[in-house]
Amino acid sequence: MEITPLVPENRQIVQSYGIGRFKVSQKEYESSIIVLPLRTLSWGVKAPNDINYQNLAPVLEDKPPIDILLIGCGRSMQLLPRDLLDRWRQNNIAVDAMDTGAACRTYNILSAEGRRVAAALVALD
């Protein structure tokens, strides 16, 4: 599905997603990914139950700091553990979980607005 809005050239943009794949800023990925404002990383997570504070560490390391973390949970939204959400709140980062398609679209909109947003996207199976 094509989902590209107008975004400044220096920002990562999710152009499309599908079963087991993403296209971000002209580059193809065949795994789950973490999209940061200026780079995209492969992410070893295969299911929402695999998501934890440690494997989301690249979001904390991004400079300047991220304000919003969107988590795409695959085909449907999943509730994240309260302790995981609390740890992110302690770092002044808002976290919102949703299905992967919604996370891709929301990331693009917030990025186009110039927000400091990241998306951790579980690939569709």
Tab-separated table of all heavy atoms in Angstrom, residues 42 44 60 69 90 93 103 105:
chain	number	residue	atom	x	y	z
A	42	SER	N	17.216	-2.267	10.792
A	42	SER	CA	16.547	-3.556	10.897
A	42	SER	C	16.355	-3.855	12.374
A	42	SER	O	17.177	-3.478	13.217
A	42	SER	CB	17.391	-4.655	10.248
A	42	SER	OG	17.420	-4.473	8.861
A	44	GLY	N	15.164	-7.012	15.062
A	44	GLY	CA	14.997	-8.461	15.142
A	44	GLY	C	13.690	-8.952	15.734
A	44	GLY	O	13.530	-10.145	15.949
A	60	LEU	N	16.288	5.467	22.253
A	60	LEU	CA	16.842	6.299	23.334
A	60	LEU	C	18.160	6.952	22.940
A	60	LEU	O	18.498	8.017	23.432
A	60	LEU	CB	17.073	5.452	24.583
A	60	LEU	CG	15.841	5.086	25.374
A	60	LEU	CD1	16.220	4.145	26.504
A	60	LEU	CD2	15.165	6.325	25.915
A	69	LEU	N	7.202	7.728	20.465
A	69	LEU	CA	7.524	6.420	19.910
A	69	LEU	C	6.222	5.717	19.548
A	69	LEU	O	5.373	5.487	20.408
A	69	LEU	CB	8.307	5.575	20.917
A	69	LEU	CG	8.525	4.109	20.537
A	69	LEU	CD1	9.290	3.975	19.223
A	69	LEU	CD2	9.235	3.367	21.666
A	90	GLN	N	9.273	7.664	31.936
A	90	GLN	CA	10.357	8.177	32.774
A	90	GLN	C	11.422	8.883	31.935
A	90	GLN	O	12.156	9.723	32.443
A	90	GLN	CB	10.983	7.048	33.585
A	90	GLN	CG	10.075	6.500	34.655
A	90	GLN	CD	10.612	5.211	35.265
A	90	GLN	OE1	11.691	4.736	34.937
A	90	GLN	NE2	9.832	4.635	36.173
A	93	ILE	N	9.235	10.196	26.953
A	93	ILE	CA	8.865	9.770	25.603
A	93	ILE	C	7.469	9.162	25.666
A	93	ILE	O	7.232	8.207	26.406
A	93	ILE	CB	9.875	8.749	25.033
A	93	ILE	CG1	11.263	9.401	24.934
A	93	ILE	CG2	9.416	8.231	23.677
A	93	ILE	CD1	12.369	8.447	24.537
A	103	ALA	N	0.606	2.760	12.361
A	103	ALA	CA	1.866	3.329	12.841
A	103	ALA	C	2.664	3.947	11.695
A	103	ALA	O	3.257	5.011	11.856
A	103	ALA	CB	2.688	2.267	13.565
A	105	ARG	N	1.436	5.230	8.852
A	105	ARG	CA	0.753	6.460	8.435
A	105	ARG	C	0.933	7.574	9.461
A	105	ARG	O	1.214	8.729	9.100
A	105	ARG	CB	-0.728	6.176	8.204
A	105	ARG	CG	-0.976	5.266	6.999
A	105	ARG	CD	-2.449	5.081	6.706
A	105	ARG	NE	-3.182	4.430	7.781
A	105	ARG	CZ	-3.273	3.112	7.943
A	105	ARG	NH1	-2.659	2.288	7.097
A	105	ARG	NH2	-3.982	2.607	8.939
